[in-house]
Amino acid sequence: MTAPSSNRKLLGRLSLPERNFVADALRAETVGGVLLLVAAVAALIWANTAGGSYESVRGFHLGPGSLGLDLSVQHWAADGLLAVFFFVAGIELKRELVAGDLRDPKAAALPVIAALCGMAVPALVYVLTTTVGGGSTDGWAVPTATDIAFALAVLAVIGTSLPSALRAFLLTLAVVDDLFAILIIAVFFTGDLNFAALGGAVLGLAVFWLLLRKRVRGWYVYVPLALVIWGLMYNSGIHATIAGVAMGLMLRCHKEDESEEHSPGEHIEHLVRPLSAGLAVPLFALFSAGVVVSGGALGDVFTRPETLGVVLGLVVGKAVGIFGGTWLAARFTKAELNEDLAWPDVFAVASLAGIGFTVSLLIGELAFTEDPLLTDEVKAAVLMGSLIAAVLSGILLKVRNAKYRKLWEDEERDEDLDGIPDVYERGKPDYHLRMAAIHEKKAAEHRRLAEVSGGEREDGSGPA
């Protein structure tokens, strides 16, 4: 007799708690993604139709200069509002490490390898393109990012119903992607360090951690402290968004006992995510995505080595890197792909990850601070690459949409009306007893209707 296979399922069904968490997280991100699209379009229209008013507004300075915070509106958006985005990213990462897929090294291997390959290959494509073309390699990190909100907005627009396993894979990819983007920003885009400010920021983070350990409650304690930490981190020379990540990682993301419905991290993420997805990121896009676009400028995107490297990195590098990393992980861990899916589905999701918007724009600003013209050209390349990736992935996903919709409907079906999808209850006696009672009730009703119909025919009062 053949021994049963010990191979794990690749992109198999999620556990019920993980499915519910992913559904809640993606719901907020999808709404935020639509707002992000609207903000990006508004920025482009504003920058190209209102003369110099766009540059005047985003270049307007405000803030206390005595504290080193006399910043332009654009910098407040990039350094301030995105700290909220990275705070949520830090919580997501912490939750994945202690309660999600990344807590199991075997399960974590796939998304981590896929994400690493999905960052390394675009960077390599960019470096090769710029080296051959004689351009600057400073922007190698621009095409390495994935924008989960923008990707989900594309899914909402094209109306596809991805199975939860593919959505979770995309979300986990984005979380790991954000982690390495944070590391790239911290390591490669840190200016001259102000050790006094850095020491103050570290001290503030230590106080933040101690208050959490002591179970101190109250937003009026943590919000002012977070602002102080952020201000010190900004003045230290390290990008201020790092403060958001650090505070997010400090939150407890596991339940200590059954009396807790949600961990503190999950609760705070639930409160802050709408602020991040619905306000912080769209406002950043509004003041960063506005570049003057003309026919010549769009043509230059495909001729200048730096911009061509960004486009090829996002469109080709992301798809090849994530797909190749996933295939290699499956090949060497002997994991079998979920029988409901096929490798073209993985490639379609990999191409969707080529939508690198928010963090790509941020890294583009950091990489070419000394050349504003090239910064705008790189931003245009990010927009063009993301658009091409969105169209390509949309076509690939739409081809399989009928299959996805069937899988999604099977996942959502709840015939016994107990609030839990049936796929998670099959094999449980209580579920089958409830279904038997439902079918018996329906059968009794049909027998009654048959008897009534038969009686009507016998006395001639109804149709024969």
Side-chain angles (χ1 to χ4, degrees):
M1 185 167 65
T2 304
S5 173
S6 61
N7 291 356
R8 295 182 298 107
K9 285 294 180 186
L10 179 67
L11 300 178
R13 184 182 301 129
L14 304 176
S15 66
L16 183 59
E18 187 70 9
R19 170 196 172 277
N20 292 338
F21 173 81
V22 168
D24 289 341
L26 296 186
R27 194 176 297 114
E29 290 289 358
T30 301
V31 174
V34 174
L35 293 175
L36 180 61
L37 281 172
V38 172
V41 172
L44 288 171
I45 294 173
W46 187 5
N48 286 274
T49 61
S53 67
Y54 180 79
E55 289 295 337
S56 298
V57 171
R58 75 173 179 177
F60 181 76
H61 277 247
L62 67 159
S66 58
L67 299 178
L69 297 175
D70 180 19
L71 310 179
S72 67
V73 170
Q74 183 178 5
H75 274 99
W76 275 112
D79 294 85
L81 292 177
L82 280 194
V84 179
F85 167 79
F86 278 109
F87 174 70
V88 174
I91 300 175
E92 285 179 337
L93 177 62
K94 178 69 172 289
R95 186 204 161 275
E96 286 290 332
L97 290 170
V98 301
D101 288 345
L102 299 183
R103 73 184 186 281
D104 177 6
K106 290 183 179 180
L110 170 66
V112 169
I113 292 172
L116 283 173
C117 292
M119 298 185 80
V121 175
L124 181 61
V125 168
Y126 177 91
V127 170
L128 288 175
T129 304
T130 53
T131 300
V132 170
S136 170
T137 59
D138 291 346
W140 62 271
V142 174
T144 61
T146 293
D147 195 311
I148 183 65
F150 216 139
L152 292 172
V154 170
L155 291 180
V157 169
I158 66 176
T160 190
S161 303
L162 277 187
S164 59
L166 284 178
R167 288 178 178 264
F169 178 58
L170 183 61
L171 178 61
T172 307
L173 273 177
V175 170
V176 178
D177 204 303
D178 286 341
L179 167 65
F180 287 104
I182 291 160
L183 293 176
I184 287 171
I185 291 170
V187 174
F188 296 98
F189 298 105
T190 294
D192 296 331
L193 290 177
N194 180 329
F195 288 100
L198 180 59
V202 172
L203 180 61
L205 288 171
V207 173
F208 188 89
W209 177 82
L210 184 62
L211 292 174
L212 290 173
R213 292 281 292 181
K214 296 295 184 181
R215 304 290 192 269
V216 175
R217 296 176 179 271
W219 65 267
Y220 47 83
V221 174
Y222 291 101
V223 172
L225 178 59
L227 292 174
V228 170
I229 293 170
W230 176 87
L232 288 168
M233 189 69 75
Y234 178 84
N235 281 284
S236 73
I238 296 176
H239 201 270
T241 54
I242 304 300
V245 178
M247 287 183 279
L249 287 171
M250 289 181 182
L251 293 175
R252 177 167 61 84
C253 292
H254 64 278
K255 293 189 289 185
E256 291 189 329
D257 52 60
E258 293 301 320
S259 64
E260 279 190 328
E261 185 177 356
H262 301 288
S263 68
E266 290 173 321
H267 176 66
I268 293 173
E269 181 187 22
H270 181 72
L271 294 175
V272 179
R273 184 186 287 278
L275 177 64
S276 169
L279 182 65
V281 175
L283 280 177
F284 166 76
L286 180 64
F287 293 112
S288 289
V291 293
V292 177
V293 178
S294 63
L298 292 177
D300 290 342
V301 166
F302 298 99
T303 57
R304 183 158 184 165
E306 294 88 352
T307 52
L308 180 61
V310 170
V311 173
L312 292 178
L314 289 172
V315 178
V316 178
K318 272 290 184 182
V320 172
I322 292 174
F323 180 82
T326 305
W327 186 87
L328 288 172
R331 174 71 177 81
F332 289 105
T333 61
K334 297 182 179 179
E336 294 177 350
L337 185 65
N338 181 355
E339 61 271 10
D340 292 328
L341 302 173
W343 283 108
D345 299 319
V346 179
F347 185 81
V349 172
S351 64
L352 185 65
I355 301 173
F357 189 76
T358 304
V359 179
S360 289
L361 290 176
L362 175 62
I363 294 177
E365 291 179 358
L366 296 174
F368 300 106
T369 52
E370 304 301 322
D371 191 342
L373 178 61
L374 182 54
T375 298
D376 281 350
E377 291 177 343
V378 166
K379 287 182 180 181
V382 169
L383 295 173
M384 181 60 68
S386 297
L387 177 61
I388 295 172
V391 172
L392 174 63
S393 61
I395 294 171
L396 295 175
L397 292 169
K398 203 66 178 176
V399 170
R400 292 273 289 172
N401 194 45
K403 177 69 173 179
Y404 296 151
R405 183 165 295 279
K406 183 180 181 301
L407 291 174
W408 183 82
E409 289 172 350
D410 289 342
E411 289 179 355
E412 296 296 314
R413 187 173 293 113
D414 181 20
E415 292 185 349
D416 62 342
L417 303 177
D418 67 341
I420 299 175
D422 296 340
V423 292
Y424 292 97
E425 296 191 295
R426 289 169 189 159
K428 296 181 179 179
D430 290 347
Y431 164 74
H432 292 292
L433 288 173
R434 285 195 300 273
M435 290 304 300
I438 290 171
H439 287 301
E440 286 167 3
K441 185 176 180 180
K442 289 181 179 179
E445 177 64 14
H446 283 294
R447 281 193 292 269
R448 187 188 68 80
L449 293 173
E451 291 171 359
V452 171
S453 299
E456 289 178 349
R457 285 196 298 273
E458 289 174 3
D459 63 16
S461 61

